[in-house]
Amino acid sequence: MKKIGILSCALVLCSVFTANAQFGKLMDKVKAKLKTETAKPNDEAPKTVTEEPKKPSGKGVGKKSGSFASVWESEFDNKATVLSVTNSDGSYILGTDDNSATVLDGFGKMIWSGDYKKITTNKTNNCEYQYVIWKENGGYLFLFDSRSMGTDRIAVIDMATGKEMWNSEAYQNLLSKESEQGDIETVKYISELDAFLISQKASVVLVKAKTGERIWETNRFKGGVGKYIYDSKRNEIVMLNFKPTSLGALFTGFKNQLVKINASNGDIVWDATFVGTVEKELITRKFIVDLWIKDNKLFLYLNGLQVYNIDNGQKLWEATYENDMEGGGGFMSNKDQKIYRTLADPLFVDNSVYITMFGGRDRAKYIEKHDVESGKLLWASEKITGALCIPHIYKAGNKLVAQVGGKVQVQGYRNETVATINGTAKVRVAFVEWQYKNQKNSVLALDDTNGKTAWRSEKFDKRITDFVLDGDKTLFAGDGDEFYGYDIASGNQLFDVKHNDAKVGKAVDVLDFDDKVVVLSEKGLAAYFKKDGSRAYTTGKIGHANNFHHIGDNYFLQDNEGSTNAFIGVDMTNGNVKGKVVSKGKGGSPVYGNGIDITSDGEYIFAFKGRKVEKIKVNN
């Protein structure tokens, strides 16, 4: 049994969208692990297998092991080497290569197919970058044809008809090398306005997505749009800039700008400066910045929390700290690896905000409570010892509960030996993966009135999962081999269950499911009743899993390590396995990985394999 130290008076957070953008730039090379692959000696047709998983065995395991049903298999006119995705309900399926596209309907029948240079009137061709904006009736296929001497071409194709909607050669230098990582520095689609924001040397232009017509242009905003947020209440856009690599050499007098613009006419409502540099993650190249609107305030999450009046841009208050490790300090301090997702997002409760802070040079962590209106510091916790990361915090009654330890995201490069036609070769491989780091993994509860430590569990032995809270009363977590329940008010440990007896590998995460907590593990699932920690079921070993997806009412374990991408569907009420699909194909959704896309309700899986695509039903 783990004991709780009571220190009462001592020092003591894919979906259904109306519009969803999916990107295609060498998508077969940029996936969940973003692993660079060498070409196989033989151009073998990749295979997708809909198979029955191994039947679990052992006491209390899931009773049934099933298989998914194949609805149909169809074929594209072209090889889907750049984009192979479906819209949210599976009524449009798109496959593209560098210079052509095919669209199928939900029954696998071809709607249209064609070469870009024949579809477009400006002969857009050999598109280095493509992305699709899914709309209710099809959507837009956006094409970039990068050329020399100021003759770059862009074109937009109607997904429903295959007809050109508009094209232009007025916008140049839009692409950078970083576009391979799934985004364009200089073009943002504003879904709320159905329009594109395009950054140029001297201005930013808003154009209608359907027609390319300029809505407005302003020269008072310089640089790329690092982040934007749409204020629907006022029909205004708040955006902040950064210096894009594709246009960087062209900018003079660049400054940090936070601007609010009238979405109808481009008039500047207010213009403010912000403190800090907008940086990108090492491999994914995502911006390390966020914007929130709450009541009459704009919150900028960059080098801490900066708070502005939403109406006039006046800075109200700020709390300065490092938002993330970003490779800073210690064992992660090198240019080839950086660490992210180490700090919980600010937690807003009533008129207060709780912030997980990095301290000074010793990189200590602690938690502060601020008044939202004034920014006044209400309390600060003592130094939280032995914490590399504090990824989640929760408010429960009169306690602030913090997860000390857990998974962190590591992005970097490493050398790997791969097979080639002539034998083997060492290549520099990019990777993004979740890792556990040695630290004082534990549950920490602070008194909400003063920030003093109410209780802290003993160190978890190997790791710590995220938490499941049952109201303000109980908290559940795992440490790899065991599963625990705690009384939040007192810190008393309610139970300690040997999770390794479930024979599903080490615990990775936990999921709140009705009266149970489901422990997601490396090779299966095990569920425990909240009331007493007794085991409801275990699936036994049903396959390695390094990822998990909750889509609609469906739950999937995923294994995308290595050369295959496998999804296992599980009934979370009883642990029954619904089926398994294994794909060795290319393309697929950026969310679900090589050769796989899934409808937003989780009812259908689309498996892509070269020219072919298979529609698979999850629930029989």
Side-chain angles (χ1 to χ4, degrees), residues 263-284:
S264 299
N265 56 27
D267 288 347
I268 304 297
V269 179
W270 52 258
D271 184 348
T273 59
F274 63 88
V275 178
T277 302
V278 179
E279 298 184 6
K280 295 182 180 181
E281 294 177 356
L282 181 64
I283 303 301
T284 66

Side-chain angles (χ1 to χ4, degrees), residues 20 98 117 141 176 179 262 269 298 338 450 505-506 563:
N20 176 29
D98 287 341
K117 63 182 177 181
L141 178 58
S176 72
S179 297
N262 185 308
V269 179
L298 174 73
K338 292 183 182 293
N450 54 26
K506 294 187 180 300
S563 60

